[in-house]
Amino acid sequence: MIFEKVRDLVADRLNHNIEDVTMEANLKEDLGADSFSYAEIGMLLEDSFNVTISDLDLDQFQTVGDLVHYLEQHVTEV
């Protein structure tokens, strides 16, 4: 369930088909995210999952899977 929400959010924000947004997809290289996109995705994830993501953590995410794994560890209720 977390992956599907992340996939939909990332696909919408980065203007990609959901088929492009896989666990292995690199946010920058494959999906074209830039620093502004990262910040927006971070805020959208915080709102969607009721979680706080530090800037340090956000900077560490390279793939969609990184986002999903982080949320699986920090979200108590989906």
Side-chain angles (χ1 to χ4, degrees):
M1 172 131 180
I2 289 177
F3 168 70
E4 289 82 6
K5 286 178 77 171
V6 170
R7 177 197 62 202
D8 294 349
L9 185 146
V10 169
D12 183 58
R13 172 59 195 92
L14 298 177
N15 297 317
H16 276 273
N17 294 322
I18 59 171
E19 295 83 21
D20 297 334
V21 184
T22 64
M23 289 286 283
E24 298 80 22
N26 186 290
L27 293 162
K28 291 180 181 177
E29 295 171 14
D30 299 326
L31 302 175
D34 58 17
S35 58
F36 184 71
S37 301
Y38 263 73
E40 285 189 330
I41 289 169
M43 288 187 290
L44 291 168
L45 291 172
E46 288 179 335
D47 290 344
S48 295
F49 291 96
N50 195 29
V51 65
T52 301
I53 303 172
S54 74
D55 290 341
L56 291 174
D57 286 335
L58 190 60
D59 289 340
Q60 301 302 312
F61 301 137
Q62 294 183 17
T63 66
V64 173
D66 293 339
L67 295 173
V68 172
H69 295 305
Y70 179 89
L71 292 168
E72 287 174 342
Q73 294 174 8
H74 292 88
V75 172
T76 56
E77 197 174 306
V78 178

